Amino acid sequence: MSVNSHNQEAAKTREQVKNERKVNEEKPRARRIRIRLIPIWLRIIIVAVLIVISAIAGAAVGYGVMGDGDAKDIFKKSTWTHIIDLVEKE
């Protein structure tokens, strides 16, 4: 008997595997109720706060380190009006 024919005898069809699973899973399972540690509304707020913090940190690094400016200047309105004027320049 060759190895290939032995593998074919041992191989099962999908229907056979499904039937075996059904026989094994006939016991009714008790569903677990999942209690969330952090509610969804709080997750949304946390993600929004993290996005704002990362935007501020990115602006500080970009303006302060890469742009050779003072990182505290990103909180001034004059800095942003200057940046917008540079971007919208025709």
Side-chain angles (χ1 to χ4, degrees):
M1 184 179 269
S2 68
V3 175
N4 192 18
S5 64
H6 178 65
N7 287 340
Q8 288 178 351
E9 290 174 7
K12 298 179 182 178
T13 63
R14 282 189 203 173
E15 290 81 19
Q16 291 172 342
V17 173
K18 286 181 182 179
N19 289 335
E20 288 178 5
R21 286 185 185 166
K22 285 181 183 178
V23 170
N24 293 336
E25 293 180 357
E26 286 181 2
K27 303 179 227 173
R29 291 186 183 180
R31 288 211 155 221
R32 292 179 53 194
I33 297 174
R34 183 175 178 199
I35 299 173
R36 298 183 194 274
L37 296 176
I38 302 173
I40 293 176
W41 60 269
L42 186 59
R43 290 181 192 185
I44 293 171
I45 292 173
I46 290 172
V47 168
V49 168
L50 289 175
I51 289 172
V52 169
I53 290 172
S54 64
I56 290 171
V61 169
Y63 190 76
V65 177
M66 299 171 86
D68 294 330
D70 190 17
K72 292 183 278 184
D73 287 344
I74 63 165
F75 297 110
K76 294 181 182 177
K77 185 178 178 181
S78 61
T79 302
W80 290 103
T81 55
H82 178 69
I83 292 172
I84 291 171
D85 288 343
L86 289 175
V87 171
E88 292 181 354
K89 185 176 181 182
E90 291 181 16

